[in-house]
């Protein structure tokens, strides 16, 4: 009898599922998408109703062949990619490649990878969901129309390698506008007057002047504050009223994708990308004492729904571990937002009985920390509220009314397990301490009166957590896309991270301004949120995806045509400033070079004055002090040399450039460093017959070059003494575009072997693998086998 075939996305997931399905099933992995739009062209036939031109992704031909072969020999075919829009698209594309009628496929949705969930899902398969697929397809085409038609415009107008995105660019706009709000912010001065008081019993406490002469006390200068201080000095401080009430603070709902990313960033310092990678691994399964088992439910969800069986299990755990006082009379159910997909669950442990402590031996540090966060939040979401006694005391002193607030926890409730993090320090209860017993008419002892100057603060810069919160609240993008959006903005160097704060770069602000000017609709937050709602309506069957695209593309095409001629030209011209060139008096412009932004004279090439700059807190340009004359002449043409800044730091360059291109390195103390002598290799150049030598690079690496350079430009990487494991060629040292060392095959592009770890010409004593690799960390260099993982030793730095 032919086996059944079940296809999932990842090999790790396949291993976990295979364990539970047994010998009647063959489980294969597609390793993500197998089809997509072409990379080097639009791939959308606009005239034919926005028909996408899908093709097998380069490098996935072997995977598709193996899936076809397995499907040809199989009985039933179960398609089990992830239970979301992206997963539905993968399932449809696999079905199209395998060639069976669509009605013959069984769609399986795994929300958790446990034995019961897997067997139940396989026993009750569904049909492929056309509406969900159409929604994903509409999103993919929308993003392609925007990205592939605006990005080339940026290449032409600004610089090559830039990109625009339907959601990415709106997220950038939020960051830029927040930065400009900070720069435009004018601090407002205000003052406070605080009394340090003592009652009959400890502790001493603080009270703040809130009313003076029957008016709200909000002084904006020192004189008014000192006048109030003088008026209450020497007066009796009497308690006029004490209000006490008991308040309850309820727990947060279980995690959804966005809140997990926010909390993991606040508490663990994880980027959204890191959080999702770790969560993916916990979902797909880890080897434990039970074997391979999925530890959390599906991590791409916007639903706070919880399965009744999971709630019942965790309630039993709460009663057993913390007692009945921590268990509410009825389970809590949480209301999801309007667009949430209620077929999904919240992110929770697949079993509350798998405590973090029980898994400590099976998970690495980051995996365990994230699992503990998810476990704690899930347990806490079914626990009773925390209870506080809150006290407010009003205290008179002559014409002044002071107020003190205190809060005491009566019952910890859910806080015994978990408290939600905050993006700033001004959270609930901030500044409230413990008050002594107080009663109306009680006289208090004044210890000190303290006037203090304050200034209002600008809005805070976004962190990754607060930006995700903002995107979600405004309905921009979907939780599953946030990690990719933030990664793209940083990869394109549109934003930088200073500690945890996100700041736009000069390039990011330039691109944002050009897009806002030329494509105001696409860059509008409300418009982008409306498109997300429209895509939801496609999934719900209430809107046709082609009509949605047509409604979008008409105005977009007009804006694109206008932008071709109207968008400001930055490339080759720069951004005008009000700074005069110190050499010729003409205006300086900001130019966007490959190593960053710099100021250059608009009179180029007649005037070649350039210098770096920074910006102050208000965003104003602050030209950098010119580099001192190093007093060095070019050893090739005799012209003076000047200090220049490159991608690897400062260096000396001949001022006769471009006629003379001589450069020299600088030492750590800023002095001209002697050129390292070329080391003879003992081989002849295959192009001109000259001697080959080993030369240093500006970044500190080495390479092989012809001694007759620049007449002969032959060069190649320096071999490390290891044969390529893929083709038998030489593995050589190389440098990435960002200057990072890696090791790759010298037969590139015919062979694409590459490794960040240095191969060593030493066979593994455990498995016989031909070479070991050197992995460098802060603790030192560890030598391991890339095949079996056996460690061959550690070399301390």
């Amino acid at each position: 009898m032919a086996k059944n075939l079940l296809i999932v996305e990842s090999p790790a997931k396949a291993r976990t599922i295979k364990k539970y399905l047994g010998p009647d099933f063959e489980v294969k992995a597609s390793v993500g998408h197998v089809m997509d739009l072409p990379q080097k062209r639009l791939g959308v036939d606009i005239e034919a109703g926005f028909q996408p031109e899908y093709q097998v992704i380069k490098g996935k031909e072997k995977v598709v062949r193996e899936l076809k072969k397995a499907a040809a020999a199989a009985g039933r075919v179960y398609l089990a990619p992830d239970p979301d829009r992206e997963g539905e698209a993968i399932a449809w594309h696999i079905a199209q490649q395998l060639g069976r009628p669509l009605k013959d496929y069984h769609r399986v949705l795994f929300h958790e990878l446990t034995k019961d969930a897997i067997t139940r899902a396989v026993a009750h398969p569904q049909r492929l969901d056309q509406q969900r697929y159409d929604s994903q397809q509409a999103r993919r085409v929308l993003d392609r129309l925007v990205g592939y038609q605006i990005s080339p415009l940026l290449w032409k107008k600004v610089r090559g390698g830039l990109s625009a995105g339907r959601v990415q660019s709106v997220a950038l706009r939020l960051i830029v506008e927040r930065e400009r709000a900070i720069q435009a912010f004018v601090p407002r001065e205000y003052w406070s007057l605080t009394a340090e008081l003592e009652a009959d019993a400890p502790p001493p406490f603080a009270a703040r002047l809130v009313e003076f002469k029957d008016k709200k006390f909000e002084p904006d200068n020192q004189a008014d504050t000192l006048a109030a201080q003088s008026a209450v000095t020497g007066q009796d401080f009497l308690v006029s009223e004490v209000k006490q009430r008991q308040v309850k603070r309820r727990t947060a709902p279980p995690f959804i994708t966005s809140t997990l990313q926010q909390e993991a960033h606040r508490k663990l310092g994880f980027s959204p990308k890191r959080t999702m990678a770790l969560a993916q691994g916990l979902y797909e399964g880890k080897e434990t004492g039970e074997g391979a088992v999925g530890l959390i439910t599906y991590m791409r969800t916007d639903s706070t729904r919880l399965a009744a069986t999971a709630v019942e299990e965790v309630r039993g755990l709460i009663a057993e571990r913390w007692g009945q006082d921590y268990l509410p009379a009825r389970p809590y159910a949480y209301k999801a937002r309007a667009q949430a997909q209620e077929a999904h669950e919240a992110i929770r442990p697949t079993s509350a009985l798998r405590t973090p402590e029980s898994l400590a031996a099976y998970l690495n540090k980051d995996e365990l920390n994230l699992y503990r966060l998810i476990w704690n939040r899930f347990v806490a979401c079914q626990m009773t509220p925390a209870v506080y006694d809150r006290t407010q005391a009003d205290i008179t002193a002559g014409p002044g009314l002071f107020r003190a607030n205190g809060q005491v926890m009566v019952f910890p409730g859910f806080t015994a397990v978990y408290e939600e993090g905050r993006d700033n320090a001004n959270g609930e209860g901030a500044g409230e301490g413990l008050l002594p017993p107080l009663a109306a008419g009680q006289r208090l002892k004044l210890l000190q009166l303290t006037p203090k100057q304050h200034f209002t603060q600008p809005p805070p810069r976004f962190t990754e957590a607060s930006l995700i919160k903002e995107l979600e609240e405004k309905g921009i993008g979907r939780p599953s896309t946030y990690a990719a959006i933030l990664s793209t903005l940083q990869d394109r160097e549109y934003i930088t991270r200073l500690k945890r704060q996100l700041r736009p770069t000069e390039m990011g602000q330039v691109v944002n301004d050009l897009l806002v000017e030329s494509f105001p609709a696409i860059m509008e937050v409300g418009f982008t949120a409306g498109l997300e709602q429209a895509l939801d309506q496609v999934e719900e069957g209430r809107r046709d995806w082609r009509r949605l695209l047509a409604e979008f593309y008409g105005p977009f095409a007009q804006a694109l045509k206008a932008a071709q001629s109207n968008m400001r030209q930055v490339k080759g011209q720069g951004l005008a400033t009000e700074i005069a060139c110190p050499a010729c008096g003409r205006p300086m412009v900001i130019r966007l070079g490959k190593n960053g932004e710099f100021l250059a004279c608009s009179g180029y090439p007649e005037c070649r004055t350039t210098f770096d700059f920074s910006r102050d807190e208000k965003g104003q340009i602050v030209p950098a002090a010119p580099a001192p004359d190093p007093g060095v002449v070019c050893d090739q043409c005799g012209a003076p040399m000047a200090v220049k800044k490159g991608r690897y730091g400062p260096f000396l360059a001949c001022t006769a450039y471009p006629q003379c291109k001589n450069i020299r390195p600088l030492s750590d103390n800023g002095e001209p460093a002697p050129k390292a002598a070329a080391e003879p290799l003992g081989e002849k150049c295959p192009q001109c017959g000259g001697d080959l030598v080993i030369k240093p690079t500006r970044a500190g690496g080495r390479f092989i070059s012809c001694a007759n350079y620049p007449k002969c430009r032959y060069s190649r990487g320096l071999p490390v003494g290891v044969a390529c494991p893929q083709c038998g060629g030489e593995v050589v040292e190389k440098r990435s575009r960002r200057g990072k060392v890696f090791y790759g095959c010298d037969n590139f592009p015919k062979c694409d072997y590459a490794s960040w770890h240095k191969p060593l010409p030493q066979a593994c004593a455990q498995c016989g693998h031909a070479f070991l690799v050197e992995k460098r960390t802060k603790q030192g260099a560890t030598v391991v086998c890339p095949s079996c993982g056996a460690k061959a030793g550690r070399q301390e730095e």
Side-chain angles (χ1 to χ4, degrees):
M1 182 177 177
K3 286 187 176 183
N4 296 315
L5 174 65
L6 186 138
I7 302 173
V8 295
E9 289 185 42
S10 79
K13 193 174 178 182
R15 288 192 294 271
T16 302
I17 293 170
K18 175 64 178 173
K19 169 188 170 185
Y20 297 117
L21 291 183
D24 292 337
F25 275 83
E26 183 177 9
V27 184
K28 292 278 190 180
S30 70
V31 197
H33 281 274
V34 296
M35 298 180 70
D36 198 5
L37 299 173
Q39 284 191 340
K40 296 186 178 180
R41 54 191 175 86
L42 183 63
V44 177
D45 191 338
I46 298 171
E47 301 301 323
F50 302 94
Q51 184 64 37
E53 303 171 17
Y54 292 113
Q55 62 184 29
V56 175
I57 297 171
K58 186 178 180 181
K60 284 297 187 72
E61 296 86 356
K62 182 179 178 181
V63 172
V64 171
R65 285 197 303 270
E66 290 178 352
L67 293 179
K68 285 182 176 180
K69 182 178 179 181
R76 292 185 172 187
V77 177
Y78 294 81
L79 302 176
D82 289 346
D84 56 15
R85 289 173 180 166
E86 240 13 71
E88 200 67 30
I90 293 172
W92 272 79
H93 292 157
I94 292 172
Q96 291 165 3
Q97 285 297 307
L98 300 188
R100 294 190 179 195
L102 290 177
K103 63 181 180 63
D104 290 349
Y105 293 101
H106 302 274
R107 178 73 167 111
V108 179
L109 303 176
F110 296 132
H111 296 284
E112 60 180 88
L113 299 186
T114 58
K115 183 176 181 179
D116 289 344
I118 291 169
T119 53
R120 186 168 57 250
V122 172
H124 300 90
Q126 304 174 14
R127 296 295 179 193
L128 288 167
D129 190 332
Q130 177 76 51
Q131 292 169 187
R132 179 177 287 182
Y133 172 57
D134 284 346
S135 178
Q136 189 278 341
Q137 187 164 239
R139 179 187 297 276
R140 185 75 185 94
V141 172
L142 270 174
D143 292 342
R144 177 56 67 98
L145 291 174
V146 172
Y148 268 54
Q149 295 191 85
I150 296 183
S151 296
L153 188 58
L154 293 177
W155 304 343
K156 177 182 176 183
K157 299 286 187 176
V158 185
R159 192 180 77 185
L162 301 181
S163 72
R166 184 180 58 86
V167 180
Q168 158 200 321
S169 297
V170 178
L172 174 61
R173 180 177 187 176
L174 293 176
I175 297 170
V176 170
E177 289 183 346
R178 175 63 60 88
E179 186 69 20
R180 287 176 176 163
I182 293 170
Q183 293 172 353
F185 181 80
V186 178
R188 180 177 60 82
E189 180 184 11
Y190 69 98
W191 285 74
S192 65
L193 183 62
T194 302
E196 296 292 329
L197 300 168
E198 188 175 68
D200 299 332
F205 65 98
R208 193 164 179 168
L209 185 62
V210 292
E211 289 184 15
F212 184 67
K213 295 182 179 179
D214 298 324
K215 292 183 179 180
K216 194 172 183 179
F217 185 66
E218 294 180 323
D220 58 7
N221 59 77
Q222 184 180 29
D224 290 347
T225 308
L226 294 179
Q229 179 183 11
S230 177
V232 300
T233 299
Q235 300 288 337
D236 289 336
F237 280 74
L238 301 173
V239 178
S240 61
E241 183 180 19
V242 179
K243 295 179 181 177
Q244 290 184 322
R245 63 190 179 102
Q246 196 169 81
V247 295
K248 294 182 178 180
R249 183 155 66 92
R250 297 190 177 276
T251 181
F255 281 131
I256 60 176
T257 303
S258 57
T259 54
L260 176 62
Q261 291 173 353
Q262 292 170 50
E263 196 73 340
H265 184 266
R266 295 185 192 112
K267 290 195 167 185
L268 304 176
F270 293 166
S271 69
K273 185 177 181 180
R274 177 67 174 154
T275 298
M276 294 308 289
L278 291 168
Q280 181 89 32
L282 295 174
Y283 162 70
E284 291 180 347
K286 294 292 177 180
E287 287 292 335
T288 69
E290 309 168 55
V293 61
L295 298 179
I296 65 171
T297 53
Y298 190 55
M299 63 286 159
R300 292 186 180 89
T301 177
D302 53 6
S303 170
T304 51
R305 185 182 71 82
L306 293 170
T309 54
V311 172
E312 183 180 352
E313 182 183 62
V314 77
R315 282 174 61 83
L317 176 71
I318 293 168
E320 178 184 342
R321 180 176 285 198
W322 288 278
Q324 291 292 331
D325 290 343
Y326 289 83
L327 188 67
R330 292 186 300 275
Y332 292 143
Y334 294 92
K335 185 178 179 181
R337 61 190 184 89
Q339 288 80 27
Q341 302 180 56
E342 285 300 310
H344 292 180
E345 273 196 77
I347 303 170
R348 61 167 177 83
T350 53
S351 173
L353 302 182
R354 293 192 189 98
T355 63
E357 295 75 22
S358 69
L359 296 173
Y362 306 104
L363 303 178
N364 65 37
K365 181 182 176 181
D366 286 352
E367 291 170 341
L368 183 61
N369 284 339
L370 187 65
Y371 181 80
R372 181 181 287 111
L373 191 68
I374 295 169
W375 189 89
N376 287 349
R377 176 94 161 211
F378 170 60
V379 173
C381 85
Q382 292 300 318
M383 295 178 75
T384 51
V387 181
Y388 299 87
D389 276 343
R390 189 167 289 172
T391 303
Q392 176 183 296
D394 285 353
I395 301 155
T396 60
L401 176 66
F402 289 79
R403 181 164 292 157
N405 293 294
Q407 178 172 282
V408 178
M409 178 181 285
V410 177
F411 179 69
F414 73 91
T415 64
V417 177
Y418 175 84
E419 284 202 66
E420 188 174 22
R422 299 182 183 276
D423 291 319
N424 55 67
N426 298 319
E428 183 179 347
E432 297 185 350
L434 187 66
L435 294 181
L438 298 172
Q442 182 177 357
R443 180 177 278 105
L444 304 172
K445 180 181 179 181
L446 176 66
L447 301 177
Q448 187 175 358
L449 267 176
T450 306
K452 189 174 183 180
Q453 183 185 38
H454 308 270
F455 291 94
T456 54
Q457 297 298 310
R461 288 189 177 92
F462 284 115
T463 63
E464 291 183 323
S466 60
L467 180 63
I468 287 171
K469 184 177 181 181
E470 184 85 358
L471 292 171
E472 184 179 37
E473 289 178 349
K474 294 184 179 298
I476 301 170
R478 281 294 175 261
S480 59
T481 66
Y482 295 154
I485 290 169
L486 283 162
S487 292
T488 301
L489 290 176
Q490 292 178 70
D491 291 345
R492 292 288 183 270
E493 298 181 351
Y494 290 162
I495 62 174
T496 59
R497 282 201 306 173
L498 181 63
K499 295 183 179 178
R500 290 193 177 186
Q501 296 181 329
L502 303 178
R503 303 182 66 172
T505 61
E506 194 76 33
M507 177 66 73
Q509 296 185 63
V510 169
V511 169
N512 173 77
D513 293 347
L514 294 176
L515 294 179
V516 170
E517 292 168 8
S518 298
F519 302 94
I522 291 177
M523 295 291 288
E524 177 59 45
V525 169
F527 178 81
T528 305
L531 269 181
E532 293 295 344
Q533 294 174 2
L535 290 167
D536 289 337
Q537 292 170 357
V538 172
E539 183 171 353
E540 296 160 4
R542 297 190 289 124
R543 193 156 188 170
D544 178 74
W545 72 278
R546 294 180 189 272
R547 183 171 298 176
L548 167 63
L549 292 173
E551 291 170 358
F552 166 84
Y553 193 72
F556 171 69
Q558 293 179 3
L560 186 67
K561 184 177 180 181
Q564 297 283 353
S565 54
N566 297 337
M567 182 180 281
R568 285 185 291 139
Q569 183 73 34
V570 176
K571 191 173 185 178
Q573 296 181 10
L575 300 169
T577 73
E578 296 179 357
I579 298 173
C581 174
C584 70
R586 282 177 283 200
M588 302 291 285
V589 296
I590 297 174
R591 292 195 179 274
L592 308 173
K594 62 181 179 180
N595 298 320
E597 295 78 32
F598 61 96
L599 285 170
C601 181
S602 58
Y604 179 87
E606 290 83 10
C607 179
R608 296 176 177 269
T609 302
T610 64
F611 43 86
D612 294 327
F613 71 95
S614 60
R615 290 188 182 271
D616 61 18
E617 293 180 354
K618 294 298 181 182
Q620 300 299 313
I621 294 173
V622 179
D629 184 354
V632 178
V633 296
C634 177
D635 56 359
Q636 292 187 8
C637 72
M641 300 197 83
V643 177
K644 299 290 183 180
K645 183 180 178 182
R647 64 190 300 180
Y648 305 119
F651 64 98
L652 289 175
C654 182
T655 55
Y657 178 89
Q659 288 76 25
C660 179
K661 299 181 179 180
N662 186 29
I663 59 172
R664 287 183 60 182
L666 286 173
S667 62
D668 293 339
N669 61 8
E671 296 294 325
K675 287 188 175 180
E679 179 184 340
L681 184 65
E683 296 181 17
K684 295 296 183 181
C685 175
Q687 290 187 2
C688 73
D691 293 329
L692 290 179
V693 293
I694 300 174
K695 291 184 176 180
T697 67
R698 293 207 326 241
R702 297 192 300 165
F703 70 104
I704 295 172
S705 173
C706 181
N708 291 330
Y709 178 86
K711 291 182 179 179
C712 177
R713 295 180 176 271
Y714 174 80
S715 67
R716 70 173 190 264
L718 186 67
V720 296
V722 170
C724 174
Q726 291 183 187
C727 73
E730 283 188 318
V731 176
V732 299
E733 179 182 318
K734 297 187 176 185
R735 290 265 165 177
S736 70
R737 286 187 298 175
R738 295 183 182 272
K740 187 176 179 181
V741 174
F742 72 99
Y743 302 89
C745 182
D746 201 32
N747 289 331
F748 181 84
K750 292 181 180 179
C751 177
D752 61 359
Y753 171 78
S755 171
W756 290 115
H757 309 303
K758 183 178 181 179
L760 303 175
Q762 179 183 346
C764 176
Q766 297 288 332
C767 69
H769 191 266
F771 61 87
L772 303 177
V773 296
E774 182 184 69
K775 292 186 176 181
R776 291 188 170 271
T777 65
K778 292 180 180 178
Q779 288 72 39
T782 304
V783 178
V784 301
C785 175
S787 178
C788 70
K791 291 186 178 181
R794 176 182 290 276
Q795 180 183 352
E796 298 298 331
E797 294 293 331

